[in-house]
Amino acid sequence: MSQPSKHPLTSDDARPTPGRKRSEASRLAILAATRELIGEQGYEKLSIGGIAARAGVGKDTIYRWWPSKGMVVADAVMEEAQPFHLAPPAHAGSVDEDVRNWAHALARDFVDPTRVDRIRAVTSAASEDPATAERLYERFTQVQRTGFIDRLRAAAEAGEVRPDADFGAVADAIIGSLMYWATARRSDLTIESVDSLLDVLLRGLRADSAVS
């Protein structure tokens, strides 16, 4: 795994040291300040200095606990992950119904102003820092992708979808399309547009669409 580039402070300043415990109040203040500033100015204009000033701490305090701006952003978003729809598709009805309910729930995250600001911020952070990208993939995308593939495998066993289909590619198409809508700052994401995408993908998955 690639390591994020070191900040020009010493390595002792870039991580907690024995005998110097992290202040929970300072930690929470830093993460709250980061979330506020993401909403106010976006990731590009976000700075460690700005976070420190808003949180009422020194910059060296932040660098002592986080090696990069991206990791601060990742922790700030993951700290309040509850507002995000993290559950994979349910096994509650037909595969069509379960996938649509799941995709609709994801889409609602991508049109909520506060949530989409945070999605854009962590996406930018991940593009700059491989370690942040891996952490976010494991925490968010992998859970969704793996659960989606498992749901389609169950549907294949039930004869609802083609067992030879590339389930991973379908998951990537759905999640990737939603990410495109968010990062491109498109304003035309609706349930109807999500359903149009699903109509195409699910039609190709159906067992009766296999070539004889």
Side-chain angles (χ1 to χ4, degrees):
M1 181 179 71
S2 301
Q3 296 296 322
S5 58
K6 291 185 180 295
H7 186 270
L9 294 173
T10 67
S11 59
D12 286 342
D13 287 328
R15 59 181 62 87
T17 56
R20 300 181 69 178
K21 294 184 178 179
R22 178 189 302 219
S23 162
E24 182 65 6
S26 294
R27 185 187 76 86
L28 294 176
I30 291 166
L31 298 181
T34 302
R35 288 189 292 268
E36 291 172 5
L37 291 170
I38 287 171
E40 293 173 13
Q41 57 190 227
Y43 181 81
E44 292 75 15
K45 295 182 180 179
L46 186 68
S47 69
I48 294 295
I51 295 170
R54 178 68 63 90
V57 302
K59 289 197 295 184
D60 58 341
T61 298
I62 297 177
Y63 281 121
R64 190 179 303 127
W65 299 332
W66 290 278
S68 68
K69 181 177 81 170
M71 292 300 279
V72 183
V73 168
D75 277 0
V77 172
M78 287 191 286
E79 181 83 8
E80 283 197 345
Q82 301 94 316
F84 294 94
H85 181 77
L86 298 178
H91 293 244
S94 69
V95 66
D96 187 281
E97 180 182 0
D98 289 345
V99 167
R100 287 182 191 276
N101 288 338
W102 168 74
H104 293 172
L106 283 179
R108 283 190 283 272
D109 280 346
F110 283 76
V111 296
D112 178 271
T114 298
R115 296 175 189 177
V116 79
D117 282 345
R118 295 180 184 179
I119 290 168
R120 288 169 180 157
V122 294
T123 301
S124 296
S127 70
E128 293 182 357
D129 183 352
T132 301
E134 183 169 340
R135 185 173 185 180
L136 291 170
Y137 177 80
E138 291 174 353
R139 179 67 179 82
F140 292 115
T141 309
Q142 187 175 45
V143 174
Q144 299 283 4
R145 191 177 188 274
T146 301
F148 180 87
I149 292 171
D150 288 345
R151 180 65 187 88
L152 292 188
R153 284 176 177 160
E157 293 175 0
E160 291 184 272
V161 302
R162 296 165 45 198
D164 63 331
D166 188 337
F167 300 150
V170 179
D172 292 339
I174 296 172
I175 297 171
S177 294
L178 291 173
M179 291 299 299
Y180 162 73
W181 261 301
T183 56
R185 300 182 183 274
R186 295 287 298 270
S187 60
D188 57 346
L189 177 60
T190 63
I191 294 300
E192 290 74 21
S193 59
V194 173
D195 277 336
S196 293
L197 172 66
L198 294 176
D199 285 343
V200 174
L201 295 174
L202 294 175
R203 187 180 303 124
L205 281 174
R206 291 190 183 107
D208 57 9
S209 70
V211 178
S212 303

